[in-house]
Amino acid sequence: MAKDQVRIGIVGSKFAADFHADSYRRNDKTELVAVAAIDNLKEYAERWQVPHAYADYKELLKRDDLDLISICVPNFLHHDVAVAAARAGKHVVCEKPLSTSVADAEEVIAVCEKEG
């Protein structure tokens, strides 16, 4: 791993997660380190050669070696995962929509700004 690489964890393992993994694999400045998902986790990790797999995204967020979390879960989960990731000190990339309500989207933005 080069020092200038961004180390990434993906939360989710369906359609959007494949696009994210493919993009990260094509970029020599990123390293796909971990994935968390509630279904097809093993298949996803094997397909994208992700070395660490978790059934619970909160366990993935405990990793000190992740810089960025790609949120690729159903829309109604975006808020909770984004807030948890920001509070864990991770940068956040979230599939659209950011959340399912304006209030939740504003909270995600506020937490991300607060956490830097």
Side-chain angles (χ1 to χ4, degrees):
M1 177 189 79
K3 286 188 172 205
D4 61 347
Q5 278 190 309
V6 176
R7 294 177 51 91
I8 299 165
I10 294 180
V11 179
S13 61
K14 296 293 184 167
F15 184 72
D18 283 329
F19 288 120
H20 286 237
D22 185 50
S23 294
Y24 297 137
R25 284 279 174 229
R26 293 171 184 263
N27 187 330
D28 64 354
K29 299 292 184 186
T30 59
E31 179 183 4
L32 189 49
V33 174
V35 60
I38 59 171
D39 57 3
N40 78 313
L41 178 59
K42 182 179 178 184
E43 295 86 355
Y44 185 89
E46 288 175 358
R47 179 171 59 249
W48 293 106
Q49 300 171 350
V50 183
H52 304 282
Y54 300 88
D56 184 342
Y57 75 89
K58 292 174 186 169
E59 293 300 312
L60 177 143
L61 293 178
K62 291 178 183 178
R63 295 185 65 94
D64 291 332
D65 61 343
L66 296 177
D67 304 305
L68 182 140
I69 304 300
S70 272
I71 301 173
C72 303
V73 294
N75 297 346
F76 73 94
L77 296 172
H78 288 180
H79 167 270
D80 292 349
V81 178
V83 167
R87 287 188 175 142
K90 315 300 186 208
H91 294 281
V92 174
V93 170
C94 186
E95 276 293 308
K96 64 181 183 178
L98 184 55
S99 71
T100 56
S101 74
V102 172
D104 282 353
E106 289 173 344
E107 182 182 12
V108 169
I109 294 166
V111 171
C112 287
E113 287 176 345
K114 178 183 177 198
E115 299 297 335

